[in-house]
Amino acid sequence: MNIVVLTGAGISAESGIPVFRGADGLWEGHRVEDVATPEGFARDPQRVHEFYNRRRAKLLEVEPNAAHRALGRLALGWRRGQVTVVTQNIDDLHERGGSPEVIHMHGELLKARCTHCGVVTACREDLSRASICASCGGIDCLRPHVVWFGEIPFHLGRIERELDRADLFVAIGTSGRVYPAAGFVSAARAAGARTLEINLEPGGTSPDFMEHRSGAAGTLVPEWVE
Ligand SMILES: CC(C)NC(=O)[C@H](Cc1c[nH]c2ccccc12)NC(=O)[C@H](CCCC/N=C(/NCCC(=O)O)S[C@H]1O[C@H](COP(=O)(O)OP(=O)(O)OC[C@H]2O[C@@H](n3cnc4c(N)ncnc43)[C@H](O)[C@@H]2O)[C@@H](O)[C@H]1O)NC(=O)OCc1ccccc1
Ligand SMILES: [Zn+2]
């Protein structure tokens, strides 16, 4: 039985990472166009660096929660097939929670990419226009290694293959508003998978979920895994 798990900001909420939508959401006070698009970065790179520097500093302060750890146990203990964790999150809490392999379809906050030579490097400190690329020596050329709106997500081929052979698709803590991730449940269902949603909100985010469990991921995910 192959399981594909898709996670969103809701799985990291109980670790103290703000979600995107809603009061005190990440998008509060920031126009997506300004901080999460290539055009916004071209217009005002310093504003975008500050937006991601704050999130990076916050990430280094927080810990994975019971939901991250439960998925880590599942992936390490599952003998009846494959467990594939696909996340829209750019934090490293799945890895710190014990997940051996995580597909970051929207990139990773603790990595920077050079817009000159394309080299991706680890990044745990603030980025700015004065940052220097360790590979080509370029300056004012590093950007967060994340996928912005209008950019093609990473690993789509691999993800489509895993969705095709999934027997169970589980979405945890995602509002299902951003594509192509929001379309994965329909693809999995069309491939014959059972589909389960775990989300704080009662109403399902898509008619393609056969089962919906409403509650906090930190409580429901360990229950589901056990
Ligand atoms: C807004 C939307 C309509 N726009 C899109 O979908 C666009 C495409 C598009 C444009 N116009 C359209 C019109 C119609 C359809 C699509 C489009 N998509 C793109 O641009 C994508 C790129 C999108 C990626 C952008 N980058 C992100 N992140 C990285 C950066 C960063 O993080 O700064 S998106 C970012 O926002 C999304 C936020 O959603 P969630 O994670 O779900 O978070 P949210 O706050 O919304 O919800 C939290 C949920 O958790 C629940 N919850 C809260 N607490 C808990 C709790 N404790 N327990 C359980 N659940 C909980 C809540 O109830 C809630 O449901 C995530 O994807 C996240 O990664 N690229 C692309 O399409 O390229 C072409 C292409 C595509 C395929 C093939 C070829 C070409
Ligand atoms: Zn470079």
Side-chain angles (χ1 to χ4, degrees):
M1 167 139 99
N2 298 320
I3 304 174
V4 172
V5 179
L6 173 70
T7 66
I11 199 170
S12 295
E14 292 156 79
S15 293
I17 303 248
V19 297
F20 287 76
R21 279 174 184 71
D24 72 19
L26 267 174
W27 294 148
E28 287 311 295
H30 295 286
R31 284 172 355 110
V32 173
E33 297 78 3
D34 295 338
V35 292
T37 63
E39 298 77 20
F41 186 63
R43 255 195 325 270
D44 185 347
Q46 199 43 40
R47 173 207 289 251
V48 174
H49 281 312
E50 282 157 14
F51 175 67
Y52 287 98
N53 289 346
R54 270 195 301 279
R55 291 170 68 183
R56 193 177 298 107
K58 177 73 180 171
L59 176 56
L60 299 175
E61 292 166 6
V62 302
E63 294 301 323
N65 62 56
H68 298 110
R69 293 193 296 275
L71 288 181
R73 289 194 302 277
L74 175 71
L76 292 171
W78 191 251
R79 296 278 171 277
R80 296 166 41 210
Q82 177 163 326
V83 175
T84 305
V85 175
V86 179
T87 189
Q88 300 166 80
N89 301 342
I90 61 176
D91 65 51
D92 65 338
L93 297 178
H94 279 301
E95 288 88 345
R96 284 199 265 155
S99 287
E101 193 214 4
V102 181
I103 299 176
H104 285 273
M105 70 178 293
H106 291 166
E108 299 172 71
L109 191 49
L110 298 182
K111 290 182 179 174
R113 185 169 81 242
C114 175
T115 56
H116 290 171
C117 69
V119 168
V120 174
T121 47
C123 174
R124 299 178 76 81
E125 67 286 328
D126 285 359
L127 280 180
S128 74
R129 303 193 69 177
S131 302
I132 293 173
C133 170
S135 173
C136 71
I139 189 161
D140 192 14
C141 57
L142 295 183
R143 59 163 280 177
H145 185 52
V146 300
V147 176
W148 285 325
F149 288 93
E151 295 183 323
I152 298 175
F154 300 146
H155 313 299
L156 287 180
R158 168 79 194 285
I159 294 169
E160 272 145 29
R161 281 196 301 281
E162 297 302 344
L163 291 171
D164 277 352
R165 58 196 205 98
D167 302 294
L168 174 60
F169 175 85
V170 184
I172 303 169
T174 182
S175 60
R177 304 240 189 107
V178 170
Y179 290 78
F184 291 170
V185 60
S186 335
R189 184 158 181 172
R194 280 188 306 111
T195 57
L196 164 65
E197 179 173 39
I198 296 175
N199 192 296
L200 202 57
E201 302 298 322
T205 60
S206 160
D208 280 317
F209 285 106
M210 299 163 172
E211 185 186 352
H212 178 94
R213 298 184 191 177
S214 53
T219 307
L220 295 189
V221 176
E223 278 174 13
W224 168 64
V225 166
E226 277 8 294

